[in-house]
Amino acid sequence: MDLRRLRLLREFEERGTLGAVAAALGYSPSAVSQQLTLLEKETGARLFEKAGRGLRLTDAGRLLAGHARLLLAAAEAATADLAALSGEVRGTVRAGGLQSAARRLLIPAVARMQAEHPRLRVEIFELELEQSLPGLRLGTVDLVIGDEYDGHPRPRAEGLRFEVLYEEPLRLVLPAAHPLAVASTPVPVAALRADVWTASAEGTGHHAMVVGTCRALGGYEPDLRHRSSDADVQLELVRATGAVALLPPLTIPRDDAAIAVRPIAETDLRRRLFTVTRDGPRTPALTAFLEAVQTQAFRLS
């Protein structure tokens, strides 16, 4: 059996549709369908059946997908072991993360790799953790930087390795003309009940943290009118519309006269950044890049 076709089967098991598999891997849906049809011929088993307008795995398909997980993991481990034997830092590392992590951690690490290991190719993309995990589990992504907030821990999925990278206190961001911004003192979340809030998109950890913080510390449901996973958009909403935000310092510019950055009065609320990789041996390339990311995080501390 062709390992590339087995990977497509695993992608289908994880993502559920031919279209999603095609979008994730950069193929056309017809090309994915053709390769999976060839896999059925190779195995002599019916792997898919109709489900409405789409397809779903048969019992044989689910059985083979389970074996594919083991075969693909073994192939990846063999590749890592061979690379470690040579000790050469080369190949490709695909890394992703949220905006602040990409800007402040991943990009400086890429610049260092270009100087120290010119034969290493690093591909960077900006993506929330929830969107990155399928690719990480399937082997199309090697490293993801995610975040979590006090009171809102992330689940630790089996087969993945989570390591804390960086920790920082959250800050309230107010327009400079806000009455509570006059004094350079901590601001109570409870005092912002009447304000308009901005946060990341619904379903993200940041959105849940903002809503949960207003409920727990202020006893109210925030007037959350503006949603953007781009911290720069949230900051512009603070400057231009008078909204308020709750953001980590890595996302906040220094010496911006249009905003006021204040500690939270009621508590010390923190965000943690962590790296996520697959369990198992790491290639010298991934090890070198991860060390560069960790060094950059230490410099920011």
Side-chain angles (χ1 to χ4, degrees):
M1 286 177 282
D2 190 308
L3 281 178
R4 292 169 298 179
R5 291 174 191 143
L6 288 176
R7 183 172 294 284
L8 289 175
L9 181 66
R10 277 285 294 118
E11 291 275 353
F12 183 88
E13 180 189 39
E14 186 75 26
R15 303 182 190 276
T17 67
L18 295 177
V21 173
L25 300 181
Y27 297 152
S28 67
S30 61
V32 173
S33 178
Q34 183 183 41
Q35 291 301 309
L36 291 175
T37 298
L38 288 173
L39 181 61
E40 284 189 314
K41 290 181 179 178
E42 283 180 343
T43 60
R46 187 183 175 204
L47 304 176
F48 304 92
E49 61 186 5
K50 289 284 187 181
R53 294 183 178 181
L55 296 174
R56 65 186 174 198
L57 292 174
T58 62
D59 289 343
R62 287 190 291 273
L63 177 67
L64 184 58
H67 285 291
R69 283 195 293 274
L70 300 176
L71 291 168
L72 291 167
E76 183 177 3
T79 300
D81 287 345
L82 287 171
L85 192 63
S86 70
E88 188 174 8
V89 178
R90 59 181 299 178
T92 300
V93 173
R94 300 173 184 86
L98 59 162
Q99 184 191 62
S100 58
R103 178 182 294 171
R104 304 295 298 278
L105 295 169
L106 293 177
I107 292 174
V110 172
R112 177 178 168 183
M113 291 296 97
Q114 288 178 334
E116 297 181 2
H117 303 290
R119 301 190 69 180
L120 175 62
R121 173 187 174 94
V122 182
E123 299 176 3
I124 297 298
F125 56 91
E126 181 188 326
L127 211 58
E128 293 286 337
L129 181 65
E130 294 88 350
Q131 299 166 302
S132 303
L133 287 182
L136 186 63
R137 285 193 292 263
L138 292 164
T140 55
V141 176
D142 302 301
L143 167 67
V144 173
I145 297 180
D147 64 355
E148 66 182 6
Y149 302 89
D150 285 346
H152 300 272
R154 299 273 192 179
R156 268 45 175 173
E158 186 178 355
L160 299 177
R161 188 184 309 176
F162 292 72
E163 297 173 287
V164 175
L165 182 66
Y166 184 80
E167 187 171 314
E168 59 184 339
L170 291 169
R171 293 291 182 251
L172 287 164
V173 185
L174 315 175
H178 195 286
L180 294 176
V182 176
S184 298
T185 56
V187 172
V189 171
L192 300 174
R193 175 187 293 268
D195 285 86
V196 172
W197 285 78
T198 178
S200 294
E202 193 168 357
T204 62
H206 182 265
H207 183 280
M209 179 275 297
V210 170
V211 173
T213 298
C214 289
R215 289 172 179 171
L217 301 182
Y220 61 89
E221 200 73 21
D223 183 0
L224 217 171
R225 297 185 198 179
H226 311 301
R227 297 174 180 83
S228 173
S229 294
D230 187 329
D232 288 340
V233 172
Q234 292 190 44
L235 288 166
E236 189 59 26
L237 283 163
V238 175
R239 297 185 192 100
T241 72
V244 298
L246 186 54
L247 292 169
L250 280 187
T251 67
I252 304 171
R254 296 178 181 176
D255 304 320
D256 187 334
I259 62 174
V261 181
R262 299 288 183 265
I264 302 168
E266 293 95 340
T267 188
D268 179 24
L269 189 63
R270 305 183 77 82
R271 173 178 85 149
R272 282 168 296 282
L273 295 178
F274 50 82
T275 59
V276 191
T277 56
R278 288 181 297 282
D279 275 340
R282 291 171 174 164
T283 63
L286 179 56
T287 298
F289 184 70
L290 185 55
E291 288 175 353
V293 171
Q294 291 167 339
T295 299
Q296 178 63 18
F298 179 78
R299 288 173 178 167
L300 293 174
S301 300

